[in-house]
Amino acid sequence: MIAIRNLSHRIGGAPILTDVTLDLPKDGITAIIGPNGAGKSTLMGLMARLLPIQEGKVEVDGLCVTRTRTDLLAKRLAIVTQRVGVASRLRVGDLVGFGRWPHHHGRPRPEDHEAVERALEAFDLVELRDRFLDELSGGQNQRAFIAMGLAQETDWLLLDEPLNNLDMYHARALMARIHALSRAGGRSVVMVVHDINYAAAWADHVVALKDGRLADQGAPRDVLTAPKLSELFGMEIGVEEINGRPTVLHHA
Amino acid sequence: MPDKRLLALGAALLAACAFFLFWGLKGPTGFILELRATKLAALLLVGAAVGISTVVFQTVTGNRILTPSIMGFDSLFLLVQSLMVLTMGSLGYAMADGPAKFLLDTALMMAASLALFSLLMGRGRGDLHRMILVGVIFGLFFRSMTAFVLRLIDPSEFAVVQQVMFASFGAVDTTQLAMAAALFVPVFAAIWKLAPALDIVALGRDSAIGLGLRHDRLSTVLLLLVAALVAVSTALVGPVSFLGLLVAALAHQLMQTPRHVLLLPAAALISGLVLVIGQGVFERILGLQSTLAVIIEFFGGLLFLYLVLGGRRR
Ligand SMILES: Nc1ncnc2c1ncn2[C@@H]1O[C@H](COP(=O)(O)OP(=O)(O)OP(=O)(O)O)[C@@H](O)[C@H]1O
Ligand SMILES: [Mg+2]
């Protein structure tokens, strides 16, 4: 479980997150939803110690993220951020290989190579492994970074908008893959999703943020209702039940 | 098994060293050889320092355009030197030259570089435009300050400053060389130990922390090591502005790898190669002294332009 207690964050005096208290259940997929600028990425950054915690507390499976050694945390929790820029000229295979760093610190063993192979296969990247990152399409690039997070083989995987840039095929394949991991692999996934229908179809738990505050949380069917979503995004949103799942009609 | 490209570079460097030592050898052989060997050691040492420090600097700051010297480091050095001439007079300046001045220069440059680098590492780090702006502004500031101080200096004393304005491998003091070597060796060893971690640093702050690196602390340590290298090589032979840029770009272009265990030796070897061949051709064949730096500036600038413009090809 990731336990978030009274978490507040300010940047230059402006409140970004205000008093967020939240439990993210272990096992399964948690989807974080909310409008642009709601503080989703900030929340992820604080959970993954990318930002210093100013007020409040975050514990990952009982480990306080500010006090636990960062190299130990790297074996528990992996994060793929929204905007990743890499200065060096990397091949896909190298990038995914770096996901194993927390386990071998520069001296890869056979099991590390196997983990890299698995991650490459999982994301359809085997053929692209020798390509340079700057020669990939946006979606291929995105998949390479997610594969790196996957190769880290941590209990927790935090993905900030992993569906960005992905076509329908790869978006669904990614969700199916993550879903399988969260079931058979015993891994817990927290992801920021903008397309609510993916949250409705795959998530076990939904967290809604608005203006830096927790707006709602619970099972998809309880959170993803027409009145709640309309309120959250400030627009008229219809929700229909299709194949037993809430389906959001927000396009027109 | 060592990398083939590194082996080739090593062999080329050996050949270049032999050429530098033995070409056109006549007269009192022992004496001349000793002189040449000292000069060669200085070239190799400075080459390695400039190459390695630039690659590390670019990795830590996450850019391929700025180098410590483009950040106005060499201009700062000139400023300090001209201030010394101004306050002590050319005679006092010449007298102060020696181990003490070398140590003072080094300490000064290290302190200044830390202050400069920390400007890069604060808020907005990773913002390339901001970094380049800061670098250019500082370079400009130090240069115009130097120009101002030079105007205050007596014309007859001007020549003394002019001598340090371009890198000079002509007259290397053996005591200074020994001190530089004593400082370089532990610094090289420390950087070498951190080479695998540098691969991760290159991924950027977020990814590095996510992979469990103590990124901020490590960056500071690395920049301190860079500062030491740059300070000592500048104090030893004076500014070589474009060499680092040239060598780092060449090393990346040749090795095409994110692994610093390969990049760092490549940069050191290429750098040595450029300096030894350059100086060798100048002294032995063209019979000119101490203008190598000018040529490096010229070709460094040209080649860099070429690399930037042609770099997006495969
Ligand atoms: N470095 C920063 N400086 C100033 N404000 C910031 C900074 N980073 C984020 N913010 C502000 O914090 C708020 C929350 O940002 P955050 O990135 O967490 O939003 P988000 O929910 O992830 O949005 P999106 O859906 O667009 O990714 C925004 O209003 C943003 O403008
Ligand atoms: Mg975001």
Side-chain angles (χ1 to χ4, degrees):
Chain A
M1 186 176 77
I2 295 186
I4 299 166
R5 295 287 172 269
N6 308 104
L7 194 65
S8 295
H9 195 77
R10 290 171 166 274
I11 298 178
I16 308 294
L17 285 178
T18 314
D19 199 23
V20 175
T21 295
L22 184 65
D23 283 338
L24 303 179
K26 198 160 172 71
D27 295 334
I29 297 178
T30 300
I32 302 181
I33 62 170
N36 289 145
K40 305 179 295 295
S41 298
T42 308
L43 180 63
M44 295 274 251
L46 290 167
M47 287 197 280
R49 56 152 168 19
L50 302 184
L51 299 168
I53 292 182
Q54 298 168 347
E55 208 185 312
K57 178 165 144 176
V58 176
E59 281 185 359
V60 176
D61 293 334
L63 298 176
C64 171
V65 293
T66 39
R67 269 187 251 130
T68 309
R69 272 175 48 186
T70 182
D71 54 336
L72 294 183
L73 271 179
K75 293 185 192 174
R76 299 291 188 105
L77 175 142
I79 181 165
V80 178
T81 52
Q82 193 172 358
R83 263 165 294 179
V84 239
V86 173
S88 56
R89 198 131 195 274
L90 279 182
R91 289 176 205 274
V92 173
D94 291 327
L95 179 76
V96 178
F98 285 140
R100 298 300 299 168
W101 168 268
H103 303 280
H104 64 59
H105 288 271
R107 277 178 227 88
R109 304 149 302 168
E111 62 255 47
D112 295 310
H113 295 298
E114 285 160 24
V116 172
E117 287 315 308
R118 279 197 296 277
L120 286 173
E121 269 161 38
F123 289 100
D124 248 354
L125 292 167
V126 177
E127 269 133 59
L128 299 177
R129 68 182 313 155
D130 289 324
R131 293 269 291 276
F132 286 104
L133 282 183
D134 52 5
E135 292 161 2
L136 295 182
S137 75
Q140 293 167 336
N141 206 57
Q142 176 84 353
R143 269 153 51 209
F145 277 96
I146 298 170
M148 166 171 141
L150 190 74
Q152 211 171 326
E153 298 195 333
T154 48
D155 293 344
W156 289 90
L157 183 56
L158 272 49
L159 304 172
D160 199 347
E161 299 192 24
L163 300 177
N164 254 359
N165 297 320
L166 298 194
D167 63 29
M168 280 187 281
Y169 172 82
H170 283 106
R172 192 173 68 182
L174 172 71
M175 292 310 300
R177 178 80 214 165
I178 289 174
H179 191 254
L181 276 177
S182 71
R183 291 298 178 274
R187 321 232 326 236
S188 317
V189 180
V190 183
M191 57 193 294
V192 176
V193 212
H194 276 301
D195 192 331
I196 308 290
N197 286 327
Y198 283 99
W202 299 97
D204 300 293
H205 192 76
V206 176
V207 170
L209 282 185
K210 185 173 187 181
D211 297 333
R213 292 173 192 274
L214 182 66
D216 199 7
Q217 62 163 325
R221 119 174 355 271
D222 300 328
V223 179
L224 306 178
T225 62
K228 280 184 176 170
L229 287 178
S230 304
E231 163 76 25
L232 184 64
F233 290 97
M235 64 190 258
E236 224 24 69
I237 298 176
V239 178
E240 300 285 332
E241 182 131 340
I242 299 178
N243 293 336
R245 281 194 209 109
T247 303
V248 182
L249 306 171
H250 52 80
H251 304 93
Chain B
M1 196 199 86
D3 188 273
K4 273 199 214 102
R5 291 160 297 185
L6 288 184
L7 287 179
L9 280 177
L13 185 57
L14 274 183
C17 289
F19 158 73
F20 187 86
L21 283 178
F22 302 117
W23 184 276
L25 200 58
K26 48 183 179 284
T29 318
F31 173 72
I32 293 184
L33 260 186
E34 199 182 312
L35 216 69
R36 287 185 178 185
T38 312
K39 209 178 269 187
L40 181 66
L43 289 171
L44 292 177
L45 216 52
V46 168
V50 170
I52 288 173
S53 63
T54 308
V55 168
V56 173
F57 180 84
Q58 294 192 337
T59 293
V60 174
T61 54
N63 86 94
R64 289 281 181 79
I65 298 170
L66 271 191
T67 70
S69 32
I70 294 181
M71 281 230 26
F73 216 83
D74 47 350
S75 330
L76 180 63
F77 179 81
L78 289 183
L79 179 60
V80 171
Q81 302 309 310
S82 27
L83 275 175
M84 281 185 185
V85 175
L86 182 68
T87 48
M88 299 190 280
S90 61
L91 206 66
Y93 181 82
M95 297 233 299
D97 212 5
K101 177 165 175 297
F102 176 79
L103 285 180
L104 187 70
D105 274 353
T106 309
L108 253 171
M109 295 293 282
M110 268 184 81
S113 62
L114 247 200
L116 263 185
F117 293 164
S118 62
L119 274 173
L120 285 184
M121 303 305 288
R123 248 163 56 97
R125 171 210 138 75
D127 178 349
L128 192 60
H129 292 111
R130 181 176 179 272
M131 288 203 317
I132 292 177
L133 205 63
V134 169
V136 169
I137 288 173
F138 272 93
L140 214 63
F141 174 72
F142 293 136
R143 260 184 284 272
S144 31
M145 282 298 287
T146 312
F148 175 68
V149 173
L150 286 181
R151 238 160 259 225
L152 302 178
I153 293 177
D154 190 273
S156 62
E157 300 186 330
F158 183 75
V160 184
V161 189
Q162 212 175 20
Q163 241 173 24
V164 295
M165 292 199 35
F166 283 113
S168 141
F169 297 95
V172 178
D173 182 61
T174 35
T175 334
Q176 283 193 0
L177 188 62
M179 285 193 295
L183 206 134
F184 277 154
V185 171
V187 173
F188 284 154
I191 291 180
W192 185 248
K193 229 183 120 223
L194 293 172
L198 271 166
D199 303 352
I200 306 295
V201 170
L203 298 177
R205 182 174 182 275
D206 284 357
S207 298
I209 294 179
L211 291 172
L213 224 56
R214 290 211 266 170
H215 180 270
D216 298 351
R217 210 187 64 130
L218 189 62
S219 304
T220 312
V221 170
L222 284 167
L223 286 182
L224 257 178
L225 294 175
V226 168
L229 290 183
V230 177
V232 174
S233 62
T234 313
L236 192 61
V237 298
V240 268
S241 326
F242 259 124
L243 182 65
L245 192 64
L246 177 67
V247 165
L250 281 175
H252 279 291
Q253 193 76 9
L254 176 71
M255 301 310 285
Q256 299 280 357
T257 174
R259 299 183 57 210
H260 285 76
V261 237
L262 298 175
L263 283 172
L264 294 176
L269 291 173
I270 293 175
S271 194
L273 207 53
V274 169
L275 286 182
V276 173
I277 291 182
Q279 189 74 13
V281 166
F282 263 83
E283 284 188 13
R284 310 279 179 276
I285 298 178
L286 303 179
L288 300 167
Q289 295 283 336
S290 78
T291 28
L292 174 62
V294 184
I295 296 297
I296 289 178
E297 302 278 76
F298 181 68
F299 282 106
L302 270 191
L303 192 77
F304 186 70
L305 268 182
Y306 168 76
L307 286 176
V308 167
L309 297 178
R312 286 298 99 179
R313 289 168 302 121
R314 271 224 50 142

